[in-house]
Amino acid sequence: MVLRVNIAQIEPATRDWICKVQIVEIGRPRESLDKKCTFQNLILEDEEECQIKVVMYADEIEQYADKLKLLHTYLISTARVKVSPTSYGKPIHKFYWILDKETVIEQIKPSHEVEKPLPLPTKLNITSFDCIPHLMVDSAVEIDILAIVLRCGPQKNAGRSHHRCREITLCDNQKNQFLFTLWEDFGEIEGHEIASKMATEADLLVILGRSIGISTYQGLSLQTRYNSTVRVNSNYPQAVALINWAKENKTMLLSCPSEKTSTSSSIAPMIVTTAGQQLISIAEISSAPSMGVFYVEAEMAVLDEFQDFCVLECSGCKQKKRTKDRKDFECPKCNRKTTLVPRCSFQIDLIDDTATTTTSISAELGEKLPSMTAEDIFDITCTKRQSLSLNHVHEMLSNKVFEIQLRKSSWGSSNTTHATLSILSYMEKQHAPKTTTDRTSKKIKPLEISEVEVMATTTATGSSNALPKFEPLTPTKKV
């Protein structure tokens, strides 16, 4: 007997089942990182609005290309059910399905005598722009966004590895703005579609982005991940409402500069300020119970002049290494022979009226202070074994107050979880600095959380977010 069930009732051990679902998202066919297979992701929703991810591989992609359509309803029988991996983010369901040649798929057409197509979907798990600065920013964070496209830049190469990308500026109905980077083929395909529509259509576009990553590359911004989907002017009621709002407010959106715009790799670093965002003191950061993003006003100083000012990292996965030898090596994470490249990274002290604390600053944001590239810094400090001259850095920072965006992260060792601070962006405050007291007398001890059960939620300070990690959520097809 065939069981008529919903998604929540289906497990790997369930046999002879049939489920009525609607396709609410279809990703583009993608090639796996190891180049061994092609896969395509879909999201299905049942009558109770429960959603699940579905994967098809090469042969099935071609077989079902003309049959599986967005927002159409189907009866699906006995797909293969697998446990969802959690390595690269929080899945939408504890299981996922694989559609193969043994899966039975029947489309429900409007003329069907018994079954009726499901109504258009309304369920969206959207993260508002106001909430993004308060989220824990790490490699596993993935969110869904709904936003208006204000500007679309051209294709370009970014970073030391010259990855292709396209930057677009997004806005919500509160005029909060974020930069959204479309990496690699997202910039070429979805980015080209957005650019073409903006050039030919009178109204502003609205995009629905699923499984979007949060980046801290030269400031807080958004970026595509390997399994992201970007859909223009979708039929969801929420998207239609935002499209109509954008039509009515187009002149205001395009003419009024926002004070709530995040930073990007193409503009100068600046603080992200959202509605209701409060500055806190350095002393308060140590007692803050949560990890995340904080904002302070403080002086900056490099008190340790004998640090290395750069690290070596894998050119592929950006994992920091302790060695100073730049010879090629077999990277266990990239699973290939690769080279080590220098990245600027050093400690800088922040001082306000309440305390002094040490933070890290890295990548291009760090290179701006000594006005040197990481290659030049490595040559001086590691190859020539000379001290870096910081006289101009001291002069640049002297008697100035900066608005600073900090990320508080955690990492675990033994039974203790430690917390560290890193600078995401900074901007000089345009008025005379407050008088600070003795810089060493108020230095707080290293941030620490002495709880055995606390788990590390972000990578240790020093790891680089400069370029996206193209890691699929889908398993490699097993032959």
Side-chain angles (χ1 to χ4, degrees):
M1 179 179 177
V2 177
L3 298 175
R4 180 70 177 262
V5 292
N6 288 319
I7 290 173
Q9 300 170 282
I10 301 170
E11 299 182 351
T14 308
R15 297 289 181 267
D16 297 329
W17 55 266
I18 186 170
C19 184
K20 184 177 182 178
V21 294
Q22 181 176 193
I23 300 177
V24 297
E25 189 60 75
I26 300 179
R28 285 187 289 102
R30 309 294 303 280
E31 190 176 42
S32 63
L33 286 179
D34 58 12
K35 311 297 183 182
K36 292 183 178 180
C37 70
T38 302
F39 68 92
Q40 184 175 20
N41 289 336
L42 299 85
I43 298 178
L44 307 183
E45 182 176 294
D46 65 14
E47 296 170 283
E48 296 181 344
E49 294 191 313
C50 181
Q51 295 184 349
I52 193 167
K53 189 185 77 173
V54 167
V55 183
M56 295 188 298
Y57 292 102
D59 296 340
E60 288 74 21
I61 293 174
E62 183 177 352
Q63 175 181 331
Y64 292 123
D66 296 330
K67 185 172 184 179
L68 299 180
K69 303 294 183 181
L70 185 67
L71 302 182
H72 286 204
T73 302
Y74 301 85
L75 294 175
I76 295 183
S77 303
T78 59
R80 292 169 59 195
V81 183
K82 300 287 186 179
V83 177
S84 297
T86 58
S87 304
Y88 307 116
K90 184 179 179 181
I92 61 175
H93 193 279
K94 61 182 177 180
F95 303 120
Y96 73 97
W97 296 353
I98 298 177
L99 303 184
D100 56 21
K101 291 182 176 63
E102 298 181 14
T103 305
V104 178
I105 302 176
E106 177 189 357
Q107 182 178 356
I108 298 177
K109 298 181 179 180
S111 59
H112 200 288
E113 295 181 358
V114 179
E115 298 285 353
K116 297 301 179 184
L118 294 176
L120 289 176
T122 60
K123 180 182 178 180
L124 288 176
N125 186 27
I126 298 299
T127 298
S128 69
F129 278 10
D130 282 344
C131 294
I132 292 175
H134 304 283
L135 296 176
M136 172 61 66
V137 181
D138 61 29
S139 60
V141 169
E142 289 185 349
I143 61 174
D144 295 348
I145 59 169
L146 186 66
I148 305 160
V149 181
L150 295 183
R151 287 170 288 277
C152 181
Q155 278 282 98
K156 66 177 185 177
N157 294 325
R160 294 186 296 271
S161 299
H162 301 290
H163 286 282
R164 302 186 311 280
C165 71
R166 188 192 296 263
E167 294 177 336
I168 65 177
T169 303
L170 302 180
C171 176
D172 65 5
N173 59 5
Q174 301 299 316
K175 297 188 292 182
N176 296 306
Q177 295 182 18
F178 269 96
L179 189 82
F180 182 28
T181 303
L182 306 174
W183 290 102
E184 301 293 349
D185 57 346
F186 285 103
E188 296 169 0
I189 299 175
E190 284 84 354
H192 178 73
E193 177 189 2
I194 291 170
S196 298
K197 287 181 178 293
M198 292 188 72
T200 57
E201 297 185 10
D203 297 320
L204 294 174
L205 306 179
V206 168
I207 65 165
L208 171 61
R210 297 181 189 264
S211 298
I212 302 302
I214 303 176
S215 171
T216 57
Y217 179 47
Q218 285 217 351
L220 198 63
S221 61
L222 304 172
Q223 63 179 3
T224 52
R225 297 286 298 275
Y226 196 83
N227 283 299
S228 298
T229 59
V230 179
R231 192 163 299 282
V232 180
N233 289 353
S234 74
N235 293 326
Y236 276 87
Q238 299 93 321
V240 173
L242 189 58
I243 291 170
N244 293 332
W245 184 87
K247 288 180 182 179
E248 298 172 0
N249 296 275
K250 178 180 178 180
T251 302
M252 177 269 294
L253 290 172
L254 294 179
S255 63
C256 297
S258 174
E259 297 179 355
K260 306 176 183 180
T261 306
S262 66
T263 62
S264 74
S265 57
S266 61
I267 59 177
M270 60 185 296
I271 194 167
V272 177
T273 55
T274 59
Q277 182 62 56
Q278 297 293 319
L279 294 169
I280 69 172
S281 68
I282 291 175
E284 290 174 316
I285 293 179
S286 61
S287 59
S290 61
M291 304 294 122
V293 177
F294 300 91
Y295 305 84
V296 300
E297 287 185 359
E299 294 184 64
M300 299 196 298
V302 181
L303 301 183
D304 181 4
E305 297 188 2
F306 301 100
Q307 52 185 308
D308 289 335
F309 290 92
C310 70
V311 296
L312 288 180
E313 63 182 20
C314 173
S315 60
C317 65
K318 310 302 177 184
Q319 176 63 54
K320 182 180 71 174
K321 303 297 180 182
R322 294 189 184 92
T323 182
K324 299 301 180 184
D325 188 350
R326 297 187 66 178
K327 66 182 180 181
D328 293 352
F329 78 110
E330 292 288 338
C331 178
K333 187 172 183 180
C334 296
N335 197 27
R336 62 181 175 86
K337 195 170 186 178
T338 185
T339 58
L340 291 175
V341 295
R343 176 173 60 86
C344 177
S345 178
F346 59 95
Q347 302 296 311
I348 188 168
D349 294 270
L350 305 183
I351 309 105
D352 68 4
D353 289 337
T354 66
T356 298
T357 191
T358 300
T359 69
S360 66
I361 187 169
S362 60
E364 285 79 1
L365 197 62
E367 292 175 357
K368 294 178 72 69
L369 287 177
S371 299
M372 300 175 67
T373 66
E375 288 282 355
D376 293 336
I377 295 173
F378 181 86
D379 182 60
I380 294 172
T381 61
C382 297
T383 304
K384 298 178 180 178
R385 299 183 181 277
Q386 298 174 358
S387 297
L388 201 64
S389 175
L390 299 177
N391 291 335
H392 66 293
V393 176
H394 296 320
E395 294 176 1
M396 184 191 310
L397 300 179
S398 179
N399 297 318
K400 294 179 181 177
V401 171
F402 296 86
E403 296 175 335
I404 304 165
Q405 181 187 20
L406 295 171
R407 180 179 65 196
K408 185 177 180 182
S409 307
S410 65
W411 59 278
S413 63
S414 185
N415 292 330
T416 303
T417 296
H418 307 269
T420 56
L421 293 172
S422 56
I423 294 178
L424 301 182
S425 63
Y426 65 89
M427 180 175 63
E428 182 182 351
K429 189 173 179 62
Q430 299 301 315
H431 60 70
K434 300 177 182 178
T435 302
T436 56
T437 57
D438 177 42
R439 295 187 175 187
T440 58
S441 62
K442 291 187 177 182
K443 187 160 185 174
I444 61 178
K445 65 180 181 179
L447 300 170
E448 184 171 306
I449 307 172
S450 300
E451 296 182 12
V452 176
E453 297 300 326
V454 176
M455 298 296 292
T457 53
T458 63
T459 55
T461 300
S463 62
S464 173
N465 295 342
L467 293 173
K469 299 178 181 179
F470 300 104
E471 298 173 316
L473 292 176
T474 56
T476 302
K477 184 175 183 180
K478 295 182 180 179
V479 181

